[in-house]
Amino acid sequence: MSLLNVTDLNVSYTTSSGTVQAVHGINLTVERGQTTAIVGESGSGKSTSALAIIGLLPDNASVSAAAITLTDQPVTPVMRGKRVGLIPQDPTNSLNPTKTIGESVAEGLRIHDHADVKSKVLRLLEKVGIDQPEIRYKQYPHELSGGMNQRVLIAAALALEPDLLIADEPTSALDVTVQKVILDLLDQMREELGIGILLITHDLAVAGDRAHRIVVMQQGAVVEEGLAAHVLANP
Ligand code: ADP
Ligand code: ADP
């Protein structure tokens, strides 16, 4: 049984100029403890597919699917907040600028329990490689680099103890030197915690380095899907 199973997902957007079918009947799976990458050019439907899974599509989207399940259970709105975490593209615009780092990470923990929030936040900050957590805890996003803010967002997502992380171009807003560090951190968390990762990227090389399975999208459809080595061998 796969961790995530998506069967026959369709998404269309309605705008003033008409309806666009952005995703056409795609299928994909993520196995527990593994990474599946969705690769494709800009506009091929990667983000739309990811947002449909986590239930965060804009109001003008219309979704249908034969199945979106986590360990064979339909993904419900409640599960989306707890069992599926999202790592967004641009860390600087994704953290609340009026909240401290500690407050942002603690938001996830409050859903589970109230006791011992501070020590858990500090442990999470340490886990994602943030130096001097006791000091960072009280700082605001603008006081940290983009890479550090992305670590904070990963800590906030992990606070929910999700089974699946969806990372939508998680390094596209970061310096090249920091990109590898963040992808390494996601790999490390996946191995330590046994979570699955759905990695959205336009970069086939990144997918080849990081993913067990690769799904190639073109104009809203899956044109190739399989084990990474197999997909890379058939360009
Ligand atoms: P990406 O390619 O990184 O997924 P886009 O630049 O395509 O991002 O989209 C940025 C934002 O604009 C998203 O919120 C997306 O939903 C929205 N968007 C993209 N295409 C359209 C469109 N044709 N009409 C309205 N909104 C769009
Ligand atoms: P990708 O993530 O691969 O760049 P997207 O999923 O962002 O692709 O976009 C797929 C298609 O859906 C594109 O044609 C895009 O313009 C369109 N689209 C995305 N978001 C919206 C939106 N909010 N409204 C209308 N069209 C959109």
Side-chain angles (χ1 to χ4, degrees):
M1 184 204 325
S2 298
L3 172 63
L4 176 73
N5 178 33
V6 176
T7 307
D8 197 16
L9 172 66
N10 293 276
V11 183
S12 59
Y13 291 106
T14 303
T15 64
S16 50
S17 47
T19 297
V20 182
Q21 178 96 24
V23 173
H24 305 264
I26 71 157
N27 302 318
L28 63 89
T29 58
V30 179
E31 305 303 324
R32 196 170 278 281
Q34 293 196 357
T35 298
T36 294
I38 306 183
V39 190
E41 287 174 10
S42 182
S44 59
K46 306 182 298 295
S47 285
T48 298
S49 304
L51 293 175
I53 293 164
I54 199 169
L56 288 176
L57 282 168
D59 288 344
N60 69 329
S62 146
V63 184
S64 78
I68 302 178
T69 58
L70 266 182
T71 53
D72 275 354
Q73 294 176 332
V75 177
T76 61
V78 173
M79 282 163 69
R80 283 178 178 129
K82 291 188 182 170
R83 294 186 60 195
V84 186
L86 180 70
I87 314 285
Q89 283 188 13
D90 186 352
T92 325
N93 291 321
S94 302
L95 281 165
N96 185 335
T98 69
K99 286 196 169 147
T100 63
I101 298 310
E103 286 166 345
S104 283
V105 176
E107 264 176 26
L109 288 169
R110 294 231 164 81
I111 295 175
H112 285 302
D113 60 70
H114 294 253
D116 231 7
V117 167
K118 184 175 178 186
S119 68
K120 282 186 185 163
V121 169
L122 291 176
R123 218 179 312 142
L124 279 162
L125 292 177
E126 217 163 281
K127 195 174 193 61
V128 298
I130 289 188
D131 61 316
Q132 300 176 289
E134 284 276 0
I135 293 170
R136 300 297 188 196
Y137 186 85
K138 298 184 200 124
Q139 289 184 319
Y140 290 87
H142 75 269
E143 299 175 79
L144 276 69
S145 67
M148 280 296 154
N149 277 320
Q150 192 60 302
R151 288 179 196 262
V152 171
L153 282 160
I154 293 171
L158 292 176
L160 302 165
E161 296 178 22
D163 299 314
L164 177 73
L165 277 184
I166 296 182
D168 185 0
E169 304 267 11
T171 62
S172 61
L174 303 177
D175 289 347
V176 177
T177 48
V178 186
Q179 292 180 3
K180 182 179 177 306
V181 174
I182 292 297
L183 292 169
D184 285 348
L185 174 64
L186 286 172
D187 277 343
Q188 185 199 333
M189 295 297 110
R190 175 179 55 70
E191 279 172 18
E192 270 182 42
L193 304 171
I195 52 184
I197 297 181
L198 183 62
L199 175 66
I200 312 299
T201 176
H202 59 274
D203 190 337
L204 186 59
V206 166
D209 280 348
R210 305 288 171 173
H212 302 83
R213 301 188 73 83
I214 298 180
V215 175
V216 183
M217 289 190 72
Q218 230 171 54
Q219 296 183 322
V222 171
V223 291
E224 203 169 344
E225 191 277 329
L227 291 173
H230 181 84
V231 170
L232 291 172
N234 296 286

